[in-house]
Amino acid sequence: MLLKRLKMEKTERIKGFAQHADGNLLETKDLTKVFTIGKRLTGSKLVAVNSVNLRMKKEKPEIFTLAGESGSGKTTLARIILGLTEFTSGEMLYKGKDITKLKSKKEKMWLKREIQPIFQNPYEAFNPLKKVENYLFETATRSGTNHDKKAAVNDALNMVGLNQNDVLGKYPHELSGGQLQRTAIARALITTPDLLIADEPVSMIDASLRMSVLNFFKDLKEMKNVSIIYITHDLATAYYISDRIGIMYRGCLVELGPVEKVLKKPLHPYTKLLLESIPKTDPEHRWGNEIKMSNLEVKEYGSMGCKFAERCPLASEECRKEAPKDVFVDGRLVKCILF
Amino acid sequence: MKAILHIEKLKAYYDVKAFGVDRYVRAVNNVNFDVSEGEIFGIAGESGCGKSTLIKVLYALNKPPLTVMGGRVLYNTEGGDKNPLEIGSKELQKLRWNFVSYIPQGSMSVLNPTIRIKKQFLDVIKAHHKGTDAKEAIKLSEEHVSSLGLPREVMDSYPHQLSGGMKQRVTIALATILKPRIIFADEPTTALDVVVQRGVIQLLKHIQKELHNTVIIVTHDMGVHAEMADRIGIMYAGKIIEIAPTREIFKNALHPYTQYLIKSLPKVGDKTPKASAPGAPPSLDSLPNGCSFNPRCPYAKEDCYGSEPELRKIKAQHLVACCVAEEAKNGKN
Amino acid sequence: MDIRRYIIPRLIQFFIVIFIGITITFIVPRITPIDPVEAVINRIMQYGVYMDASSIEQMRATLVDLYGLSGSVIEQYGRYLLRLVSGDLGPSLSMFPTPVTEIIYNALPWTLGLLLTSMMISWVIGNILGGVSGYFSEKKWSKAISMVATTVYPIPYYIMGLIMIILFVYLIPLFPMSGGFSIGLTPSFSLGFIASLLKHAFLPALSLITIGCGWWFLSMKALSSTTKSEDFVQYAEASGIPRHKILFGYVIKNSMLPQVTQLALQIGGVFNGALVTEYLFSYPGLGQVLYIAITNGDFNLIMGISIFSVVAIALAALVVDLIYPLIDPRVRYS
Amino acid sequence: MKKIERDSIKKSLVTFKDVMKHYRGFAFGIVFILITLFLAILSFFSPYDPRIWNAVPKDLSPSLTYLLGTNTVGQDVFWLLTFATRNSLILGFVTATVAMVIGTVVGLVSGYKGKVTDKVLMSINDSFLVLPSLPILILIASFMGARLNMVAMGLILSLFSWPWSGRQVRSMVLSLREREFTYMAEFSGMSMFKIVFSEYLPFIIPLIFANFINTILWALGMEITLSIFGLSSLEIPTIGTMIYWGMQYQAMFRGIWWWIASPVVFSVLLFVSLFLVSSGINTFLDPRTRLQRLRTIGREHEERKEVRPE
């Protein structure tokens, strides 16, 4: 199949690049991003991403979920990996290469072909005034496929279960949300990327069609061995498709580990609160106790100790003083002094 | 129990006339059901199925291009049954906020950005009780707000100083200040985080218990219905296709579409492969004849393509609009 | 701290406007084909004005500073700025030796009176009418007013003035054709004088107000018909708040904010209009002085008026910008 | 032509036909502008040379032979008006083109570059907006020896009219940069340059076109003002100079109303129709309404409030 040949051809090209690549697809070391609100000096500091350590293996493609509420920094982290936002400190290595060192245009283009994004609202991700095929052909020309562009596009569309005349010649509003999102995925696949960053890819799609897109992500991982970072606030879909999950709160990765462990036997108090707060689709088990509502979001960013201390039922004085360390417990990392 | 809200053959279309192209989007297509006093009735369905339009029409918020084509809505008020779609604006004004109130979708931009929350409460109270002087009205609002667990400083702040969750709780407080008998809530939790959403749901349940009134909540999130609703109506392509108590809907739904909806809900701890309903919801301006689900329904037979099925009672309080409900039931296990 | 974050950029903008205005007036005489200093000297000679040698030398020095070419550009610019800061714009050529600043100050109250009153009246009426008409945009009367405003707004000030003269001077002789007040009267606060003052100022003011109202009406109507469909207005209507309170307290209150910033940008345009209208009605303001300066080729006076209007307009724009935070709470309590 | 192209042309024709039918103001504007262009072309066939006086008997009121009558210097007012239209339109065109080019470039660069360049360019842009243009224009004209030909005046006028389109183009580009399809285009490998010109242009073109017409309107207004102050080359017939000579020869007092009335009435109609066309463009070609119309012609689904948890 055409794409198989593309894949082989790409691997020779890359071999020349990353001779000394270690086994990691992606690795971040104490990645931090600080936003200053207001003037350069007098403005207040907001630590959106707080020294995050992540590692994804190359041989074993996986679906890794970054879960958390709004303001937890999960989208900022995604934008850093995609290269859309610079980070303030720490290190980020893709296939062993430090992305800040990629200066030449060729290298930057290589990174742009290796990591591809999937956006939340398909109707926003396509220019409403231009035909949908515009991006498909553009990606085909740019991904250096010296084969017939139309064939590459056609193959990509077939892979996502669409055929040509569903999509070509059409404007975005003439397609349904599900079709458009799958076209976006097809576009991302043309450059045979090794890593997809999907930011809330299914939250705008009708519930009944959501499963087909999620199932499709699982096939991508298994058959096309593409690793995916799945960003969501919906833990139910995260449990359904991902292998590992990282829970983020106010920029910190509070719990990181296999989905079975983290979501079935949560340890960190915040993960417990999150899991409890999801409205279960089972009328028998309704919520028992009332929970404490936090009215002081901004202050939590600045607090020295654990960011969850204000709302944590088990918080002690010590929690407020210094930041908790990552502890490896029962197969996952937890950032909490209780362990 | 007495039906406080009665809806009969309600039809409301978007009359879309743009540059000579004249088409009707059939958002509400012959809807019939009753809601009794003190009940939390949930209306579920995917985006584009007409549930938001239905709740707007029930609250008589229809403005062109949304036009009511037929049928009626009856509020069972102390002064007898009133149809909000027919009575004059003066009488409707009296009903609003005293008998029936409305919590809008997208709470982010619902409060007037240039006035303090206190003034917003004042405007609402003054609109319905001309006589009350300002100080008394503000005292009443402050009590109401703190009884709902909101901090007092909220009253003096401007909307842009409040978080999303806080704004939604203020909107709920605003909607319930005059103790209405029916509250229409249109997707009150969609734009909120999980934890804040839980707080808002608890707030709504608390108010309903306090005032013994009726809450009609519209949302696509089945989990919210499971947490709150006593009875649920499933809406598809502008029609209510199934109404039943919450337990019935989740445990043994009869309509094939509801079965698909419940089966495709992901749950933490359940990795079994799930399937989406095939195809896609029909567009509301070109509906298939007969039952609107027939293009996607695995059990469809000829009379599904004939006349549109009406809601019929299968069991106590369990109604479904489907000709093959029985086969679908045993086909389920 | 937030207010300062709003005010400082506005102050910087104020100085940039003045800097650009003054630099343009500095460059213009230096790139003209004719040598302005000599042209000015022999212009005065034509008037046969007797001047002894020393006053000619002193006059030549000021001219060299204002348009002169001696010394490097930076030196010229430095002297030029020094002279401006000290407020000395040199003598007027046609009304020699009265300094330019004096002529401007005499004409200023007239222009200010006409400009400020007509701007305020047209801003208030235009916005209120536009807001109401935008809110009731389906009604017949609102469409009718928009038709009128659409025909009135694009007409240039001079032609509107002409139409006013044809209507209210020839067809229905109600108002005087020109002048600031009847000839016989001496300026004082007596009733008679003020009455004649108002009578003379009525037509110029009316033509400025008509066009002004047209512009503010159209821009406000566009704003209020978009604000009308905002969530907070729909919600206010759903909660049964009476329409008049929604119209003023919600729709107009929120649409007014951009109209304040727009006011700051429009002052320059309305000032142009005032100059032209004053000339047409030979109203004793800056416009009339400017016309006399042009006919007499009085470069000093023209340059003086240009510099003065740059500073005045920039100041007015700054004042309007500073009012904005008082109205918009989002800026005051960001 | 491929079927797809034929469809899109058919769609735009339908749009234009509907627009003309549904919005009479826009239709009136277009018709009158066509009349003006016709008049301007007609001036090439004028039997009289506008510079020669006493070509026709003086002060005749409008009649069949002299449609708009004749003036005190013996010129046929109608043919004089055709020349005036042509020259004024040339001036308007020159100003609008130069202003459009500068404004669009400034708007695109500051919208896309952002941060420092944006701050610098925008403060210059806003300063030109605030500056009172008339006194400075008069200063320039008087120092230029008060004899400005059309093109020179056009260039000077464009100095003060480019900021209007600059400001609007910049705010449009800023809003587009935040939209997700910009990142989608970036990851499709499109360069910044290509994104601005192929992705953003369909949004910006209606803006530029509407501003183009507004600038013509503004330039014609300014030309009249400068001519009345006697600062433009008075022998070249334009709408402004016609009014100037009319006023100099006291046309109104002496009852020769047609000499003044024809340029005044004509310019009022021209200005109103230019304004109607430019505001009409804003409402129809503006991307949101165009999208809405495409949607009604295409598949319509119930308006869905896009609500993002972030």
Side-chain angles (χ1 to χ4, degrees), chain B residues 8-17 22-30 53 57 62 65-73 85-86:
Chain B
E8 200 186 318
K9 293 198 193 63
L10 188 61
K11 278 202 178 73
Y13 300 162
Y14 284 98
D15 179 359
V16 177
K17 264 203 291 308
D22 192 350
R23 286 188 3 275
Y24 284 104
V25 174
R26 291 176 172 65
V28 173
N29 205 351
N30 183 2
T53 315
V57 174
N62 46 352
L66 175 59
T67 40
V68 177
M69 309 302 275
R72 53 196 189 117
V73 173
L85 302 172
E86 256 116 38

Side-chain angles (χ1 to χ4, degrees), chain A residues 69-70 206-209 211-212 215 236 239-240 242 260 276-277 279-281 284 286-287 289-291 297 311, chain B residues 46-47 163 193-195 197-198 202 223 226-227 229 247 250 264 266 269-274 276-277 279 296:
Chain A
E69 293 177 313
S70 58
D206 300 338
S208 62
L209 301 173
M211 274 307 136
S212 62
N215 293 338
Y239 183 83
Y240 179 67
S242 53
E260 293 305 325
E276 252 172 56
S277 307
K280 302 219 183 9
T281 55
E284 256 77 31
R286 288 190 171 176
W287 288 319
N289 50 8
E290 305 262 328
I291 49 134
E297 275 99 4
R311 295 167 60 193
Chain B
E46 293 167 290
S47 59
S163 72
D193 287 320
V194 175
V195 180
Q197 173 177 292
R198 175 176 173 182
Q202 274 168 212
E227 279 301 327
R247 244 190 62 70
F250 281 93
S264 70
D270 167 10
K271 268 225 197 250
T272 54
K274 305 234 172 350
S276 286
R296 305 170 72 187

Side-chain angles (χ1 to χ4, degrees), chain A residues 153-258:
Chain A
V153 164
N154 200 354
D155 283 338
L157 285 175
N158 296 341
M159 219 195 326
V160 292
L162 291 170
N163 57 51
Q164 256 181 347
N165 36 39
D166 287 352
V167 170
L168 298 189
K170 288 253 179 66
Y171 282 91
H173 66 274
E174 288 170 320
L175 298 171
S176 78
Q179 282 171 317
L180 209 53
Q181 191 68 312
R182 276 186 279 158
T183 317
I185 297 169
R187 186 209 63 76
L189 294 178
I190 292 179
T191 60
T192 59
D194 284 344
L195 179 59
L196 278 182
I197 314 277
D199 183 356
E200 305 262 12
V202 287
S203 63
M204 296 301 286
I205 295 179
D206 300 338
S208 62
L209 301 173
R210 196 167 287 171
M211 274 307 136
S212 62
V213 179
L214 289 176
N215 293 338
F216 175 67
F217 276 126
K218 277 162 82 172
D219 306 341
L220 261 184
K221 179 195 76 175
E222 276 128 25
M223 287 178 312
K224 298 285 175 305
N225 45 54
V226 174
S227 289
I228 299 170
I229 295 184
Y230 173 59
I231 292 154
T232 183
H233 64 282
D234 176 353
L235 294 183
T237 53
Y239 183 83
Y240 179 67
I241 64 166
S242 53
D243 312 304
R244 280 193 315 145
I245 186 165
I247 309 284
M248 286 189 75
Y249 183 77
R250 298 283 176 265
C252 310
L253 204 52
V254 291
E255 192 159 359
L256 167 66

